[in-house]
Amino acid sequence: MTFAERMLKIDRRIIFLVIGLCTLLPLLYPIGLPIRITSEVQGIYDHIESLPERSVFLLSIDFDPASKPELHPQAIALLRHAFRKNLRVVAMTLWVSGTGMADQLITQVAQEMGKENGKDYVFLGWSPGQQAVIINMGQDLYSAFPSDYGGKTTKDLPILNGVRSLKDVDYVVCLGAGRPGVEEWYVFGKDKYKFELGGGCTGVMAPGLYPLLRSGQINGLIGGLRGAAEYESLIGQKGKAVAGMDAQSATHIAIIVLVAICNVFYFSLRQQRG
């Protein structure tokens, strides 16, 4: 058997091993490959950069653990940016299945950035009603959330001084993995109460939200893991998203190389046989 024949009949377990290593190693030791920043991600970053200190930033974490690989890094990057800008961060969720995850997320980043609950940030938790919650918040935030996730009365929290409704919020970003999500925040929120809105979503959902972006109904969109990696690059804190993109790129390169090599051996063997 010739070398070309042996290579074409290589054990598939070796190929699995190569792909596995190409995925695992960049996750453990990120390379930090250059990432081109798109205008839609830059739009959210620039708007947060333009906000004065102690402005009110509302982050709606509308996803559950099933969408965590793509949206969790987006949330971490946004919270790091907001805390670095000394904004008042108000977090909430319209997805009851993501409540515990959202609380853990904001607590983790707040501790990392040295922020105090009730003074620098608050997690309101979940309230039943889905889209109706947005409308209720637009009329009276304290009616929608009488207490925060920890049971403290929202009216007594220093972070909410001067905040009565969504009209007093300077910027809202919804990270949505379905319904309710970005579209509901526009239809029932921004369109009625005229606040500025940005969005984040899974990669497969992004094309469906581009009409809102192109029409100016949202001022930015973070799409999937790639969008999260862009935002991590913008704030200068590369994390899981950048590592994930490195792993994805390395795996794609490995597949292309394997396909090219197999074609070379195939045509070489074909030529040898006349």
Side-chain angles (χ1 to χ4, degrees):
M1 186 181 293
T2 65
F3 179 70
E5 289 175 321
R6 288 199 298 271
M7 289 303 297
L8 288 174
K9 294 182 179 180
I10 190 171
D11 193 324
R12 69 182 65 182
R13 288 172 292 185
I14 296 176
I15 297 176
F16 296 158
L17 178 62
V18 170
I19 297 298
L21 289 174
C22 287
T23 303
L24 182 61
L25 291 178
L27 290 175
L28 297 176
Y29 307 101
I31 304 167
L33 296 173
I35 297 174
R36 183 179 66 86
I37 308 300
T38 56
S39 59
E40 48 266 32
V41 176
Q42 187 76 50
I44 292 180
Y45 174 84
D46 288 344
H47 193 82
I48 292 179
E49 275 291 301
S50 69
L51 295 174
E53 285 193 10
R54 304 306 292 172
S55 296
V56 181
F57 171 63
L58 192 150
L59 181 64
S60 189
I61 305 172
D62 300 327
F63 62 93
D64 57 16
S67 303
K68 186 176 178 179
E70 289 186 272
L71 295 175
H72 196 268
Q74 294 183 19
I76 289 178
L78 283 165
L79 287 170
R80 284 173 173 169
H81 190 194
F83 284 138
R84 191 177 70 187
K85 287 287 296 179
N86 290 322
L87 304 181
R88 287 186 283 170
V89 177
V90 180
M92 55 167 289
T93 181
L94 296 176
W95 287 39
V96 65
S97 55
T99 308
M101 179 197 65
D103 177 53
Q104 183 182 25
L105 164 66
I106 191 169
T107 302
Q108 169 196 329
V109 181
Q111 290 176 350
E112 172 193 322
M113 303 294 288
K115 299 300 180 178
E116 183 182 339
N117 188 10
K119 178 182 177 183
D120 302 306
Y121 77 95
V122 62
F123 178 56
L124 299 175
W126 172 83
S127 183
Q130 297 188 342
Q131 297 92 327
V133 175
I134 301 174
I135 298 173
N136 199 6
M137 290 178 69
Q139 297 170 349
D140 183 5
L141 186 143
Y142 302 120
S143 173
F145 290 97
S147 59
D148 68 1
Y149 188 66
K152 298 177 183 177
T153 304
T154 48
K155 286 185 178 181
D156 298 333
L157 297 176
I159 188 177
L160 294 176
N161 285 342
V163 182
R164 297 291 308 175
S165 69
L166 289 177
K167 296 175 183 177
D168 301 312
V169 173
D170 297 291
Y171 192 40
V172 176
V173 174
C174 167
L175 301 181
R179 312 294 294 269
V182 179
E183 291 177 322
E184 283 71 24
W185 271 102
Y186 171 73
V187 174
F188 299 97
K190 178 183 177 179
D191 195 42
K192 291 174 65 68
Y193 305 111
K194 310 305 178 185
F195 52 79
E196 201 61 54
L197 177 66
C201 63
T202 59
V204 74
M205 286 180 60
L209 294 176
Y210 268 83
L212 292 178
L213 180 68
R214 298 305 181 212
S215 63
Q217 293 165 319
I218 58 176
N219 73 345
L221 182 65
I222 306 174
L225 192 66
R226 165 62 191 261
E230 292 178 40
Y231 210 95
E232 287 180 354
S233 299
L234 283 169
I235 65 172
Q237 290 183 273
K238 297 181 179 180
K240 291 183 178 180
V242 170
M245 291 305 297
D246 284 348
Q248 190 178 96
S249 298
T251 304
H252 288 169
I253 291 171
I255 292 172
I256 292 170
V257 170
L258 287 170
V259 170
I261 290 174
C262 288
N263 275 279
V264 169
F265 286 132
Y266 170 76
F267 286 109
S268 173
L269 188 61
R270 184 176 174 182
Q271 187 176 15
Q272 289 174 16
R273 290 175 176 174

